[in-house]
Amino acid sequence: MKKLLLSILLLGTISLNAQYCLFLDIKAENPEMVVSALSTAMNTEWGKNIQGTKSLFAYAINGSTDSTHSLQICFPNEAAFEQAFMSYGQSLEAQLLLDGKLADFSVAVSQSLNTPIWYNGEDWAEDNVFMLYQMEVTNPSLYLKEFKSFSQKMAKKLGYEDSSYGLAYPIVGKNSDFTHFVWIGSPDIKTALSNTKKMFSDPAFAEFSKKVSGVRKVVNTVMSVRVMDF
């Protein structure tokens, strides 16, 4: 965690008016102890004062990634992230828990700070299951145009207009395997699977895929399930 926070200090020089979500992906060798360590860390003064949402997700289906879980902390703005970063360096208790105890029960796989390009749904906390599509995108503006049109039509057709879905990219901690990712939120696993199956079989999906086939390549798909909020 300490190395991660130091590596993304450069965020302070970036001026973007957007949300930021910190993804700490780990391979949990003892999930119960990971939950215990994270719960204790988030109950410290540092954790309590984080200005943002704090959630643990399990990758129920993790595709080609080694990660089994993801700690996700989402900040409303740059100032909130800076406050968490600076105060972490001053909290020995939090550092001992996240750099020490957590590392005893898990292996760090990847870290990234992500920002949305476009999204629907103001409250991501209302969704408990997310389908994630990690992609290489060579023409972001074209892909965004087609994705916005397709996703809004599909959300209306399948009845998830109020769910969270959108397109994002890692602004810091870029993954060498993908440049962007799409997420689609659902209230539960059965809804996520049912809507995904319907989407893939819809003629509109085939049309959308044809339009973006030259500018994007899907490299991994993941089902992320909310375990708990802190």
Side-chain angles (χ1 to χ4, degrees):
M1 178 72 172
K2 187 175 182 179
K3 291 181 179 178
L4 164 68
L5 291 173
L6 290 174
S7 71
I8 53 184
L9 177 60
L10 61 87
L11 176 66
T13 65
I14 298 172
S15 178
L16 290 177
N17 188 18
Q19 271 192 329
Y20 300 94
C21 280
L22 182 64
F23 285 15
L24 304 178
D25 284 7
I26 61 174
K27 181 179 181 181
E29 298 179 337
N30 189 328
E32 291 183 0
M33 293 305 297
V34 166
V35 170
S36 175
L38 289 176
S39 297
T40 304
M42 295 306 166
N43 201 40
T44 62
E45 286 304 308
W46 171 76
K48 291 178 181 178
N49 289 322
I50 290 176
Q51 301 169 28
T53 61
K54 301 160 289 183
S55 304
L56 177 65
F57 289 86
Y59 291 142
I61 307 295
N62 61 353
S64 60
T65 179
D66 290 332
S67 307
T68 62
H69 292 75
S70 179
L71 171 63
Q72 300 180 10
I73 306 176
C74 293
F75 306 93
N77 51 48
E78 296 85 355
F81 173 82
E82 182 180 43
Q83 185 275 332
F85 169 78
M86 298 302 292
S87 60
Y88 180 78
Q90 300 168 1
S91 175
L92 179 59
E93 184 181 12
Q95 291 179 49
L96 288 173
L97 286 164
L98 294 178
D99 291 336
K101 187 176 181 180
L102 182 62
D104 291 338
F105 308 111
S106 65
V107 177
V109 176
S110 68
Q111 304 89 28
S112 63
L113 190 68
N114 305 279
T115 188
I117 299 174
W118 174 86
Y119 64 94
N120 175 79
E122 293 297 327
D123 190 358
W124 301 355
E126 292 298 313
D127 294 315
N128 294 312
V129 179
F130 294 87
M131 300 297 292
L132 304 176
Y133 303 90
Q134 300 167 345
M135 308 169 294
E136 289 182 8
V137 178
T138 57
N139 189 331
S141 60
L142 174 60
Y143 183 83
L144 174 59
K145 174 185 175 182
E146 297 298 339
F147 173 74
K148 285 177 64 176
S149 176
F150 164 74
S151 61
Q152 289 174 312
K153 290 177 182 177
M154 192 56 58
K156 184 176 181 180
K157 188 172 186 178
L158 298 183
Y160 60 86
E161 301 102 314
D162 295 330
S163 293
S164 174
Y165 57 90
L167 176 67
Y169 70 98
I171 192 170
V172 182
K174 178 181 178 295
N175 191 297
S176 60
D177 294 328
F178 63 91
T179 61
H180 296 72
F181 65 90
V182 162
W183 79 90
I184 302 176
S186 299
D188 48 51
I189 292 176
K190 62 179 180 292
T191 302
L193 291 177
S194 176
N195 282 344
T196 300
K197 185 177 181 180
K198 292 175 183 176
M199 180 182 73
F200 284 168
S201 62
D202 195 286
F205 179 75
E207 182 181 355
F208 164 71
S209 297
K210 183 177 180 180
K211 289 181 179 179
V212 299
S213 62
V215 300
R216 75 96 168 92
K217 175 184 177 183
V218 178
V219 298
N220 193 31
T221 58
V222 176
M223 176 187 285
S224 180
V225 180
R226 190 185 303 274
V227 174
M228 64 184 302
D229 298 315
F230 301 102

